[in-house]
Amino acid sequence: MSVTEPRRTEQEVLDAVLALAANLELPDVLQTLVETCSRLTGAPYAAINVTDKNDQSTTFVQVGIDERTAAQLEHPPGHHGVLSTIPAHGTLVLFDLMKDPAFKGFPPGHPPMHQFLGAAIRVGDSVYGHLYLAEKPGGFTEDDSRIVMALAAAASVAVENAQLYDLAARRERWLRAGQELTTLLLSGEKDEEEVLQEIVSTSRYISGADTAALILPGVRGRLFIEFAEGWSAQDIIGTEVPPDGVAGTALASGWGTLLDLSTAPGIRVPVMRRFGPALYAPMGTVEDPVGVLVLLRQIGAEPFDETDLATAETFAGQA
């Protein structure tokens, strides 16, 4: 090894840290991270597995496996086999993960891997995901661990910044949509049904929901899904929902709610069980209720969060 090589490596790591910090789009941050880890350590395979609070994989970004093979493989679980032994701090380095006592095998079609380095990516006090590197000729070194830990720390900051940027962008989109809706209503260019459909379309687009719907009160306080757009929309339009159910409670109380319709107890409308994450935002006030905006995602999709609820409630209130 030449005298100048360590300096060159340190400069490359510094450049990589700065490149990560410059990204404000989360997909770019994750892609840059795995590509950089692969390049600086010499590992042909690198991946990051982002998991939710239930340890289910929500995002998996990798380099090294061809697209066709990768498309046939399921995302690895967050904690299973060797992956469950990756520490929250530091790295796990194995010369042959297939001989490790915790190894539980690969899914069908997965290429064999031996040399392994794993590390946690932390955002705040929580583990955001895990970084995996594999198949470096000769095995991973302490220098590789040092490089990966530096990149993991930079990625932690970059991910947090990207999340804050995305949050601000989402709020801005909801605010702009509410203003445009107000202008549309005041202009009188569209009739009431067209405006209601516009509310559904706009909210679905901005929220990234698979389906959006409006539940409106009918005769004698009965509640019906009058408008819907997106996946399975035609199957739920016209559906009556109980006045003391999720929608009726939101309408009566003026408070929105988040839940998973596929697992929540007490869901009495069978067709709604085909959806997973759901957001209910009341329109109007307790004294003058108008309806309920409902945003839905398919089972297994990323759940809505409190920020989604707050911004959707503001939008629905304007509407």
Side-chain angles (χ1 to χ4, degrees), residues 14 51 58 314:
L14 177 59
T51 50
T58 59
T314 300

Side-chain angles (χ1 to χ4, degrees), residues 100-300:
D100 190 87
F103 181 67
K104 303 296 183 182
F106 291 118
H110 194 290
M113 294 182 178
H114 302 276
Q115 296 84 6
F116 178 83
L117 188 156
I121 304 295
R122 300 178 62 84
V123 175
D125 296 327
S126 303
V127 173
Y128 172 75
H130 290 93
L131 184 64
Y132 315 135
L133 288 80
E135 290 299 87
K136 178 181 179 177
F140 293 95
T141 64
E142 290 185 7
D143 195 45
D144 292 324
S145 289
R146 178 184 63 81
I147 290 172
V148 168
M149 290 307 299
L151 293 174
S156 173
V157 176
V159 166
E160 190 166 20
N161 288 340
Q163 290 176 331
L164 291 173
Y165 177 77
D166 178 67
L167 175 60
R170 276 190 289 163
R171 286 175 171 168
E172 174 64 23
R173 288 194 296 269
W174 280 111
L175 179 61
R176 188 183 306 117
Q179 292 170 340
E180 291 173 354
L181 181 65
T182 301
T183 301
L184 184 66
L185 285 166
L186 294 175
S187 69
E189 294 178 4
K190 295 186 177 183
D191 61 29
E192 183 178 333
E193 284 204 5
E194 290 177 312
V195 171
L196 292 174
Q197 187 61 55
E198 188 76 21
I199 292 171
V200 172
S201 300
T202 300
S203 60
R204 174 173 172 256
Y205 171 73
I206 294 177
S207 67
D210 293 310
T211 310
L214 273 182
I215 296 177
L216 302 176
V219 180
R220 300 188 184 90
R222 297 168 68 185
L223 300 175
F224 295 89
I225 299 178
E226 298 283 2
F227 297 86
E229 180 178 295
W231 183 76
S232 286
Q234 293 305 313
D235 296 330
I236 63 174
I237 289 179
T239 300
E240 183 174 6
V241 300
D244 59 343
V246 180
T249 301
L251 194 63
S253 67
W255 292 96
T257 189
L258 301 171
L259 73 161
D260 191 308
L261 292 171
S262 66
T263 58
I267 302 301
R268 287 170 282 167
V269 183
V271 71
M272 300 304 287
R273 284 287 188 190
R274 68 178 58 180
F275 298 99
L279 183 159
Y280 286 70
M283 296 172 58
T285 64
V286 175
E287 295 76 19
D288 187 19
V290 175
V292 180
L293 173 64
V294 184
L295 302 177
L296 305 163
R297 288 178 179 154
Q298 296 184 45
I299 294 174

Side-chain angles (χ1 to χ4, degrees), residues 34-47 62-66 111-116 132-140:
V34 295
E35 290 176 354
T36 304
C37 283
S38 173
R39 176 170 55 84
L40 293 186
T41 63
Y45 298 103
Q62 65 87 30
V63 294
I65 297 179
D66 64 271
M113 294 182 178
H114 302 276
Q115 296 84 6
F116 178 83
Y132 315 135
L133 288 80
E135 290 299 87
K136 178 181 179 177
F140 293 95

